[in-house]
Amino acid sequence: MQRISISVLSFLLPALILLSCNKLKETPNSIIVASQFYKTQADATAAVNAVYSTLNSDPAADFPIYGRDLNLLTGNGSDDQVYAPSNTNPDVRALGTTTYVAANDRVHKVWQQHYYGISRANVAIDNIPNINFDTTLRSRLVREAKFIRALLYFNIVRFWGDAPLVLHDPTTVDVNSLKTGRTSKDSIYRQIIADLNDATNLPKLYSGGDIGRVTSGAAHALLAKVYVTRRDWTDALTELQQVITTGTFAGTTGTYGYDLFAKFLDVFQQATKNGKEHIFSVQFGTNLGAINSTQSLSSANFSSFNTAVYPGDIPADSTLWKLFDSTDSRRSVTFYTSIYNAATGKTVVYPGAPRFAKFIDYSLSPLTSQGVSGINYPVIRYADVLLLYAETLNEINGAPTGDAYAAINRVRARAGVANLTAGLGQSDFRDSVFLERRKEFIQEGNRWFDLVRRGGTYLYDALKQIPAKTGVALKDTLYPIPQTEIDLVGAKLLTQNPGW
Amino acid sequence: MNLFQRYRKYTSVLLFAIFLTGISSLSVFAQNNNVSLYGRVVDEKTKDPLAGAVVHIKGTTHEVVADQNGEFKFITGQRVPVVYIVSFVGYKTREVPINSYGHADIDLQGGNSVLSDVVVVGYGTQRRSDITGSVASVNKNLLSQPAVSFDNLLQGSVPGVAVTQSSGQPGSTATIRVRGGNSINFGNAPLYVIDGFIIYNNNDYVNTGASTGASVNALSTINPSDIESIEILKDASATAIYGSHGANGVVIITTRRGKKGTDEINYSGYFGTQQVTKKLSLLNASQWASLVNDLNVSTGSAKTFSDSAIAALGAGSDWQNSALRKGNVQNHELSIAGGDDRSKYLISGNYFNQDGTILNTGFKRYSARVNYERNVSSRFKVSTNVFGSQSQENSLFGSAYNSINFSGAYPSLLLTSPVAKIKNADGSYNISSPYSTTPTNPLQDITATTNASKLTRVLGTIAGEYKLLKELTLKVSAGADLINTKQNYYAPSYTTNGYSTSGSASIGSATVVTWLNENTLTYDHAFGNTHFLNVLAGYTTQFEKDEFAVASAQKFPNDLTGYNNLSYAGTAVLSTSNGHSSAINSWLGRITYSYLHKYNLTLSERADGSSKLGANNKWGFFPAIGLSWNVDKEGFFEQVRKTVSNLKLRFTAGQTGNSEVPPYSSLATLTPTNYYFSNTLVTGIAPSQLANPNLKWETTTQYDAGFDLGLFNNRVNLVADAYYKKTSDLLLYVPFPLYTGYASELENVGSVENKGFELGLNTDNLRGSSLSWKSTVVFAVNRNKILSLGQGTSSYFPLAPTGQVSPVIVKVGLPVGTFWGYNTKGLLTADDIAKGVPVLAGVSQQAGDQKYVDYNGDGTVTTADKHDLGSSQPKFTFGFSNTLNYKNFDLSFFFQGSYGNRIFNLLQQKLEVTTTTLNASATLLNRWNASTNPNGTFPKAVNAPVPQVIDRYIEDGSYVKLKNITLGYSFSRGLISKIHAKQIRLYVSAQNPIVWTKYTGYDPEVNFYDNDNTKQGIDYGIYPSNKTFLAGLNVTF
């Protein structure tokens, strides 16, 4: 008996001691925590890659900014497109019919996506200078982040006007101090210009695995677009001259070798990604390292060979299609009325109005609902630079110069359209440039911005022409600050835009 | 020492006796002349022997167990007079004075012995009369119902326990709430304690993400027929001993074990057939063709179908019916159990197989259990419970239950146009429907897609109990729960999901290991016969580790290997893996004191340290106090004793906690993202979560007052409780201004209250010698209300699926799970339009369109007119069960119901979005049309209208179900003794044969979002529920 008790105790007590030492401090090995990070060159690169990734993906697995959500504001909000019958999202429909309200979920989402990207850029800009590694690379990485921050603020200031200007990572500060009001448009533009000026020190080009990063050319081109939007024509011209290839126009000094593709279709092909016309594009890809992108404009363009099934977006009305000459190669790239189905060997003809086609990835086989697509989204390309150049020369000189004509005609010639009527006055030429921009950049995130920067009632008048958009009001030249933000921060601090 | 020497002598005699028993026959043993104290224990009424009854000589340590014939004998020198204390589970314990040597016939009274019963509570047992807290036992009769998983058996069993099946999928999850939900975001399910092993059921542990569709229920791995009893601890006095896990109630499960003195072999089995309880009314082909024509007219296009074409279409294809079948269900169980003076054992094996009522779905389980305990010596006892099972669930594919997107194999089928043929003339599937986006067939998708989960679970504990002193026991136990899951998914290239990818395969694996070590010291002593003291102190530590991996691939040259060999694939999809570990250390203590079994006090506490919480708040302390007064033991009670046989008053108060956040919730974590440069993938790393070192427990403070009342010699027993619970420091995602780059941070803010009352009534309606009838009624009311959501937030909308408007709101002053939408008032008339009644802003509204109510009266209908459309929480729930015995027949039936809960019929909303490609609900037949149906009540046909959350889809989910009705026949003992059987019972049973409800969907028990507390009661085309008819057999040898 005694023996048993001793053996029992000798069994129980060690068990007690052995098993009772679980630690409560968490040391995760499946997820990185902040204290472990921002220590090496690789960390710095990964932090900046994360900034880029905010352009082609959403943290909550929603649609990405570039490649879908931005277009809901710049496309559906403009006279280019409405919603398709298959799109039952009331918030998307409201944007297409200019009946949206401050609580619109898509406006809220686009706002969130922009600030999400800005926050990632702030994190990189704050942390990378404290990491000890090659100073050239270190400056480059910070400047890439600054370019993306500037790009996103440029969209914000155009969509919403005055807006909160956040330039640092908020993790280190008190939550209550995060509540802030709106900074004036001019201050935000100053920050955009400062960031972009810094970004002009980036490399001119990249090789190998870095192709697709921000270049100094992209910084100059975007800076030019900022100045054009600001109607700062002199500075715009200086920047444009930096981008436009030396010798093609008077005063141009660009050494980047940018040029138009011979074929308009090549702007939107997997095979010709990051080509000579692409100054900065958001990168998408299929089957790269076993992961697919979610270029969702492709599914907004094409969802089925079944002709009864609608894709996500359709043109606002038939006038858009009718703008194009039948010789205009942009028409067949921008729209489709039929698609070849390799699986059946038949061409499927879609009755009714033409549908959008730019972002259909024809390289995929089988060509199906286009849930995946590897077509890059051009943020700024050479045709944009040429048209901005034509516009700037027309504004500076009070009338179109020869170079202004040459610039717009280069874009037209590539499309297979005759030269613009000679001898136009400043106003007519301006109209021609904007019409050219409309035809060139359908679904490329320009139309709403162009309508608004013309000023006055230009947007209002254009949208009034569309039967579905007769509810347009003058307040629509700015999007409403998302209602949830105002609810959180307070209407006194974060004021709403006029009319909303 | 003296005592031990006596014990030793006694033990050796006993061992010798056992040895003798082994080699000689029982009759030889019985003739032993040394036996002077012996007798027989029988049932008072039936006079059947009570094998396993325990006879104890009062004031001594002598105790024997009655054998198969109910006979017992003492081999002892004890002198008369003595007093036997005779006890047996389910019978009233009796004290029998014995004044002379020799045989004594003792009969025990069965039935209403619950008051002196011993009840399993946390870390021990307690006399029911001494209990202060609210502890309810599940009626044994309900436990014998056929079920895949035991959580389904709790439905309607105990007042205050609400169970909702997520769907009719075999092996599906259930949502269980004890006294309402306390938390908004995390952990509302009760804690399970299976033979002492603590399990917080986490269905995410068996869902890797490789398979799709509704979540698999981790509890389905456990064989319900192994369960002997279930106790549910509801108030703080009972649950505080489980501290941070106790806030949502505790379900204590004890599995079967052998009885002393018998070896019983038992077979039980049933076989049955099931079918869906209901089908939805959808449009047939010609009806749908007319609808398409109307849509064409509304968009100004040409009509698709000519009148003659419509007539020729007829009924068309019934897609809904095409996937349904009658499924078989069968269960077989074989066990052997028994014991002797020192050991008890049970060995059981089980096979369960249920074919789903939808093709290519079902659930299968094999399981085995060994329970064993042995008194190694009078001081030392060891025991082990080991359980293992393997199960496979073949489920319908679709979007994951917690995904923000909708897709489902079954809704897709319902939405398929009836004009499209299901099969071609040659019997092959028709893949050329003019209405589908890909050349595939939704029925073929269901039959051809592999979507399986294979679960292996081993749950084992070993425990040693050692009496350090007579009153002081040390118990050390160690246990492990191992869950291994493998999920397989393959969508062949000819299915919708595999078409664009040329075959899509995914495999997932999850391994979860939980270790638990518990060490308790119990001091149990009675001071005289007046003071009864039991003190428990303990330290426990639990460690959990999970590991997940998912690999997927696409583009298979053919569909021969499927998920079995991903290397045949042409395209890899990024594989993922994940793992977490967490630990909880706890100090626990409890003092129970009773004075004369009249005045009882329970003080309990648990201090829990959880790794998952913030560095500054790892530890929480959860105390409780309970008082009870057995009024019936007072002298003054004698006058009323004839009517009121028992009365006990109970008062308790205490705090419990909840910390069911995922591991690493308090840390500043970074998340990987992807980008591409030069067509090459690169990884980005960015912050995703803000650190909150102050993250702590949700604390639930609960007050409970109740009474137990027994009337007419306890033929009527009523248990009533009223409670109030307030949960504060809720774990909420506090929204941040989005311009900070963060959407929210997990903080402890806000509070929720639950209050209600519960009644449990047991009545012995008839107690005749041949006819008896017992009933149980349970009834519970719970009111849930959000008191606060933190500073500056009064409401928010939980995440809605992309493109959908959230149908629910989380709002201060309303219950969690409140639906939020528009009221409607018929259709707009031309008159209305002329008068300019308020119409929906931003949409062109004309005569024949839905008329919305301008709730705030501002002249237009905007989102500001949305308001509270009721809650998914019932006003009350109830259960009513009955058992009748007539001679050899037994009949039981069980009703269960819920009143006042609302359901958002999302499927109906979807079926009423009219398009030119998808089928629609038959409600569309009564659509308004200016010329042909001007009195129609359904809005006119519009192509792809925006679906709104309106009162029409927020349906009354009240229901009464006849959950089970069983008729059994037990053969007379005399008849079956010839084949040496002790019991043979045959029965037929029906489950869910009748459902009374106004709900128009498949089943008012529905939870598309499973355990997500903010999105309860949403129905999006769940697996239809079924009714079962079965016949069964129980044989005991």
Side-chain angles (χ1 to χ4, degrees), chain B residues 691-982:
Chain B
N692 182 0
N694 296 320
L695 196 71
K696 63 177 179 188
W697 318 88
E698 288 183 351
T699 302
T700 299
T701 308
Q702 181 171 194
Y703 304 93
D704 182 290
F707 64 84
D708 302 348
L709 178 69
L711 299 174
F712 316 117
N713 200 18
N714 286 337
R715 281 186 70 167
V716 175
N717 279 295
L718 177 69
V719 179
D721 279 275
Y723 59 88
Y724 177 85
K725 290 198 289 184
K726 182 178 172 182
T727 306
S728 47
D729 297 330
L730 289 177
L731 291 157
L732 284 184
Y733 289 102
V734 174
F736 271 24
L738 294 171
Y739 54 72
T740 60
Y742 295 84
S744 62
E745 184 188 57
L746 189 58
E747 292 179 26
N748 294 92
V749 295
S751 53
V752 162
E753 74 169 21
N754 284 280
K755 55 188 176 187
F757 67 92
E758 304 162 346
L759 298 174
L761 179 69
N762 284 293
T763 54
D764 218 343
N765 305 329
L766 282 173
R767 234 189 219 177
S769 58
S770 58
L771 178 65
S772 69
W773 175 24
K774 288 178 189 173
S775 326
T776 302
V777 176
V778 301
F779 178 83
V781 172
N782 184 67
R783 292 285 177 271
N784 172 277
K785 189 162 88 176
I786 298 167
L787 299 177
S788 157
L789 291 169
Q791 215 185 349
T793 310
S794 62
S795 70
Y796 71 90
F797 293 100
L799 195 62
T802 305
Q804 299 275 328
V805 173
S806 180
V808 283
I809 194 169
V810 176
K811 190 171 172 23
V812 172
L814 294 176
V816 178
T818 297
F819 297 113
W820 194 253
Y822 297 111
N823 273 118
T824 56
K825 198 180 176 185
L827 305 179
L828 286 168
T829 61
D831 213 29
D832 287 334
I833 302 290
K835 274 194 275 179
V837 298
V839 295
L840 194 61
V843 180
S844 149
Q845 281 212 283
Q846 295 145 8
D849 283 336
Q850 190 78 62
K851 183 172 169 182
Y852 298 90
V853 175
D854 178 19
Y855 195 73
N856 63 7
D858 64 354
T860 174
V861 181
T862 63
T863 51
D865 292 302
K866 290 188 175 186
H867 66 107
D868 172 11
L869 290 180
S871 146
S872 58
Q873 302 208 20
K875 294 202 162 57
F876 63 82
T877 54
F878 65 93
F880 176 42
S881 57
N882 288 279
T883 318
L884 288 98
N885 283 291
Y886 177 72
K887 293 185 177 162
N888 290 350
F889 287 96
D890 60 88
L891 173 70
S892 66
F893 53 97
F894 171 42
F895 294 94
Q896 185 266 327
S898 166
Y899 177 79
N901 55 307
R902 304 250 146 200
I903 297 169
F904 176 44
N905 195 342
L906 182 55
L907 179 65
Q908 186 65 17
Q909 188 199 45
K910 183 91 179 163
L911 284 167
E912 291 184 357
V913 174
T914 45
T915 68
T916 55
T917 52
L918 302 175
N919 196 17
S921 168
T923 51
L924 267 295
L925 289 174
N926 196 20
R927 62 187 177 277
W928 184 90
N929 186 303
S931 49
T932 59
N933 192 13
N935 296 321
T937 54
F938 190 83
K940 71 172 184 206
V942 179
N943 194 18
V946 171
Q948 301 286 355
V949 181
I950 54 172
D951 47 10
R952 174 181 175 75
Y953 303 121
I954 313 291
E955 297 190 34
D956 184 356
S958 307
Y959 69 88
V960 180
K961 284 185 177 182
L962 175 56
K963 291 295 276 190
N964 182 287
I965 176 162
T966 303
L967 177 67
Y969 179 82
S970 301
F971 289 91
S972 299
R973 186 168 282 265
L975 207 65
I976 57 174
S977 60
K978 286 172 194 153
I979 56 162
H980 306 289
K982 284 182 192 155

Side-chain angles (χ1 to χ4, degrees), chain A residues 5 22 30 93 288 290 304 306 368, chain B residues 434 437 466 500 541 574 579 679 944:
Chain A
S5 347
N22 279 321
S30 61
R93 288 188 162 204
L288 299 166
S304 176
N306 185 334
T368 55
Chain B
T437 52
Y466 188 74
S500 61
T541 179
L574 195 70
N679 272 1

Side-chain angles (χ1 to χ4, degrees), chain A residues 1 5 19 22 24 26 30 32 34 46 49 53 85 93 120 170 180 208-209 211 273 283 288 290-291 304 306 368 485, chain B residues 377 434 436-437 466 500 541 574 579 585 611 664 668 670 673-675 677-679 681 683 685-687 738-740 944 946:
Chain A
M1 197 66 212
S5 347
L19 287 165
N22 279 321
L24 298 182
E26 288 187 310
S30 61
I32 297 170
N49 290 344
S53 76
R93 288 188 162 204
R120 298 295 166 268
T180 177
I211 292 171
K273 270 182 185 179
Q283 309 287 311
L288 299 166
I291 197 159
S304 176
N306 185 334
T368 55
E485 294 286 86
Chain B
S377 75
S436 84
T437 52
Y466 188 74
S500 61
T541 179
L574 195 70
N585 296 337
S611 64
Y664 321 138
L670 287 81
T673 58
N674 295 301
Y675 199 69
F677 290 116
S678 192
N679 272 1
L681 187 78
T683 302
I685 297 173
L738 294 171
Y739 54 72
T740 60
V946 171

Side-chain angles (χ1 to χ4, degrees), chain A residues 41-53:
Chain A
Q41 175 181 324
D43 291 355
T45 309
V48 172
N49 290 344
V51 184
Y52 280 97
S53 76

Side-chain angles (χ1 to χ4, degrees), chain B residues 493-688:
Chain B
S493 56
Y494 50 86
T495 62
T496 306
N497 290 338
Y499 179 75
S500 61
T501 49
S502 300
S504 181
S506 201
I507 52 168
S509 139
T511 312
V512 183
V513 182
T514 308
W515 290 96
L516 174 69
N517 161 240
E518 297 190 318
N519 315 287
T520 56
L521 267 176
T522 311
Y523 177 81
D524 191 18
H525 188 61
F527 298 90
N529 257 334
T530 40
H531 306 281
F532 301 89
L533 179 68
N534 181 297
V535 181
L536 167 81
Y539 175 77
T540 76
T541 179
Q542 186 164 2
F543 178 76
E544 218 165 81
K545 187 167 175 62
D546 62 70
E547 288 175 278
F548 293 86
V550 176
S552 311
Q554 297 170 344
K555 214 165 202 168
F556 288 82
N558 57 50
D559 299 308
L560 297 172
T561 51
Y563 63 84
N564 289 299
N565 193 338
L566 301 187
S567 55
Y568 280 107
T571 305
V573 177
L574 195 70
S575 300
T576 59
S577 63
N578 210 336
H580 307 90
S581 52
S582 64
I584 294 183
N585 296 337
S586 315
W587 295 98
L588 56 94
R590 179 174 60 208
I591 298 168
T592 53
Y593 167 73
S594 177
Y595 177 68
L596 294 170
H597 295 308
K598 255 190 215 174
Y599 311 106
N600 312 303
L601 165 75
T602 307
L603 288 172
S604 54
E605 70 78 26
R606 184 166 179 135
D608 274 336
S610 168
S611 64
K612 295 192 233 175
L613 298 174
N616 303 338
N617 280 315
K618 295 271 188 212
W619 285 87
F621 179 72
F622 306 97
I625 180 169
L627 297 165
S628 70
W629 177 26
N630 290 316
V631 187
D632 57 331
K633 297 245 164 86
E634 298 290 350
F636 62 75
F637 208 77
E638 288 306 324
Q639 302 153 15
V640 291
R641 194 174 296 284
K642 276 193 180 146
T643 12
V644 184
S645 35
N646 173 51
L647 177 64
K648 176 177 175 179
L649 304 179
R650 294 177 277 109
F651 306 94
T652 69
Q655 287 188 322
T656 45
N658 171 35
S659 64
E660 287 308 323
V661 290
Y664 321 138
S665 287
S666 71
L667 305 178
T669 57
L670 287 81
T671 192
T673 58
N674 295 301
Y675 199 69
Y676 322 86
F677 290 116
S678 192
N679 272 1
T680 312
L681 187 78
V682 294
T683 302
I685 297 173
S688 57

Side-chain angles (χ1 to χ4, degrees), chain B residues 199 215 251 360 541 692 822:
Chain B
I199 291 174
S215 166
V251 178
N360 199 19
T541 179
N692 182 0
Y822 297 111

Side-chain angles (χ1 to χ4, degrees), chain A residues 79-94:
Chain A
D79 52 354
D80 275 358
Q81 69 188 44
V82 289
Y83 62 85
S86 65
N87 202 326
T88 54
N89 183 341
D91 292 308
V92 172
R93 288 188 162 204

